[in-house]
Amino acid sequence: YKPILQSITEAFVNAARRRFSVLDEAPRHYMDLDHYGDSAVFKMPHRWQDAVLKYTEDTLKQYGIVPWHINRMYYFLKDAFMLRDPDLILKLSADLGHYIADAHVPLHTTENYNGLLTNQEGIHAFWESRLPELFSDDFNFLVGKADYIPNPQLAAWMAVQSSHLAVDSVLILEKKLSDKMGERKYSFETKGKQTVKVYSQPYARVYFQQLDGMIERRMRAAIKMTGDFWYTAWIDGGQPNLKELIGYSPSEDE
């Protein structure tokens, strides 16, 4: 993957772009667990067929299918490795990484994903974009080597479960801070030729500190799981020689 780092980074956003043009794409990025009750994260069927029997496919698609779609993408990627198709491997690897990242965002697991139900509109982009942009330079993204995943479906569900358990903290902490800081919550910044209203840096810093490393932990977990899924799909796909597939040749320094 290292020789195609730029390509796979650029392809990573394609799944998000398809949300507005491909039928049924949007539900693949989230799951509104709270729609199914307080204990849904522990009680919902993990197998797609069982969930369809219990809730119907239309209901599942209406409230999000990200853990099942991650498992589906794993099988697609495994097949791409078996076919020795480098372009398909690249495309599916990027897409799979995108869905795994989405599953690690707490607000992707609740109907109140953007704070509309609690008068916190904008919190999704605040947590997912503004805070990482301000503070991720100090994050440690070295998560160690990839490990084989015996049960990809269970791993996907564990990611969604751990994200959902953080939802209350994400919402409650921001709500309390908003009530406390009032007008200091927002400021104006110049981006390019535009001046835009944003969450102020002092407000962002206090909220980031109150989250106590949550964003870095979720990002690290997403990175680790992405590597684990790629590695697992490669193992289960017959362990093809990837250097041959991408026409890789070592540099003179190697």
Side-chain angles (χ1 to χ4, degrees):
Y1 284 101
K2 287 184 178 179
I4 58 170
L5 177 60
Q6 182 175 348
S7 296
I8 205 166
T9 301
E10 293 172 352
F12 190 84
V13 300
N14 290 341
R17 291 171 176 164
R18 292 197 301 268
R19 294 187 64 168
F20 307 101
S21 59
V22 176
L23 183 66
D24 291 336
E25 175 63 35
R28 299 169 181 173
H29 296 257
Y30 66 90
M31 185 176 191
D32 296 340
L33 272 167
D34 38 21
H35 170 77
Y36 301 97
D38 292 339
S39 301
V41 69
F42 303 107
K43 294 181 179 179
M44 285 198 72
H46 289 177
R47 292 181 68 252
W48 173 253
Q49 295 85 347
D50 295 337
V52 168
L53 287 174
K54 186 171 183 179
Y55 299 106
T56 77
E57 184 171 342
D58 287 344
T59 298
L60 295 175
K61 287 184 176 180
Q62 181 177 355
Y63 295 100
I65 59 172
V66 66
W68 295 297
H69 193 64
I70 288 173
N71 189 54
R72 185 182 183 212
M73 292 297 297
Y74 150 74
Y75 281 106
F76 286 164
L77 182 57
K78 182 192 76 170
D79 290 345
F81 279 123
M82 294 181 70
L83 293 170
R84 311 300 199 258
D85 186 331
D87 291 334
L88 189 58
I89 290 169
L90 168 63
K91 175 184 181 300
L92 294 172
S93 295
D95 284 350
L96 177 56
H98 186 106
Y99 297 124
I100 289 173
D102 280 343
H104 283 79
V105 177
L107 293 171
H108 280 221
T109 69
T110 173
E111 290 185 283
N112 195 23
Y113 79 99
N114 198 27
L116 293 176
L117 303 179
T118 49
N119 195 30
Q120 294 173 273
E121 185 174 1
I123 192 173
H124 178 265
F126 183 35
W127 192 98
E128 186 180 84
S129 300
R130 176 69 166 165
L131 293 179
E133 288 170 0
L134 290 173
F135 305 114
S136 64
D137 285 347
D138 295 324
F139 290 178
N140 177 11
F141 291 132
L142 298 177
V143 296
K145 68 177 184 178
D147 295 306
Y148 182 81
I149 303 174
N151 188 333
Q153 181 68 92
L154 179 60
W157 270 95
M158 293 300 292
V160 171
Q161 176 179 313
S162 57
S163 292
H164 190 65
L165 293 175
V167 169
D168 283 350
S169 295
V170 170
L171 293 169
I172 292 172
L173 289 173
E174 198 279 331
K175 185 69 172 178
K176 290 181 177 178
L177 183 61
S178 179
D179 292 342
K180 180 180 180 180
M181 294 191 66
E183 295 181 356
R184 293 177 292 167
K185 180 174 182 175
Y186 298 106
S187 64
F188 291 90
E189 292 184 0
T190 299
K191 295 187 177 182
K193 295 182 179 180
Q194 292 184 322
T195 298
V196 295
K197 184 179 180 180
V198 297
Y199 288 88
S200 71
Q201 292 197 26
Y203 185 86
R205 182 170 298 279
V206 174
Y207 181 52
F208 177 75
Q209 292 171 345
Q210 290 180 348
L211 289 173
D212 194 26
M214 178 194 294
I215 295 176
E216 181 177 4
R217 290 194 300 273
R218 300 312 296 152
M219 293 181 75
R220 284 173 55 85
I223 293 167
K224 180 64 167 66
M225 183 172 287
T226 298
D228 291 348
F229 264 80
W230 288 350
Y231 178 65
T232 301
W234 174 72
I235 291 288
D236 294 344
Q239 305 180 46
N241 187 326
L242 301 182
K243 292 182 179 180
E244 292 179 358
L245 292 184
I246 62 174
Y248 171 86
S249 60
S251 67
E252 294 180 359
D253 295 334
E254 292 188 63

